[in-house]
Amino acid sequence: MTTYLNKLAWLVAMLMILAWAFVPRTALAFPVMFPKAPGVETLSLPPVPSNDMVETDQ
């Protein structure tokens, strides 16, 4: 079974190379289009107090 799959893979690869070599327009007729990444909105962090006092729970 593995030998059959290897021969099939080589045949498909050879046919694809021949297609790109002799019929490039047909081989490139349907390019693979990946979906666009969604835009990520970045928000700034809230302001931090400028004093160095540590908040303590009392």
Side-chain angles (χ1 to χ4, degrees):
M1 182 70 172
T2 304
T3 305
Y4 175 74
L5 291 177
N6 284 341
K7 288 180 181 180
L8 183 64
W10 276 107
L11 178 66
V12 169
M14 184 180 62
L15 290 175
M16 291 300 291
I17 291 171
L18 289 174
W20 280 319
F22 295 109
V23 193
R25 291 289 176 197
T26 305
L28 299 175
F30 299 103
V32 176
M33 300 297 289
F34 293 103
K36 295 193 183 264
V40 178
E41 295 181 16
T42 57
L43 301 174
S44 61
L45 295 173
V48 178
S50 60
N51 55 9
D52 293 329
M53 295 180 2
V54 178
E55 295 182 18
T56 56
D57 295 332
Q58 294 182 4

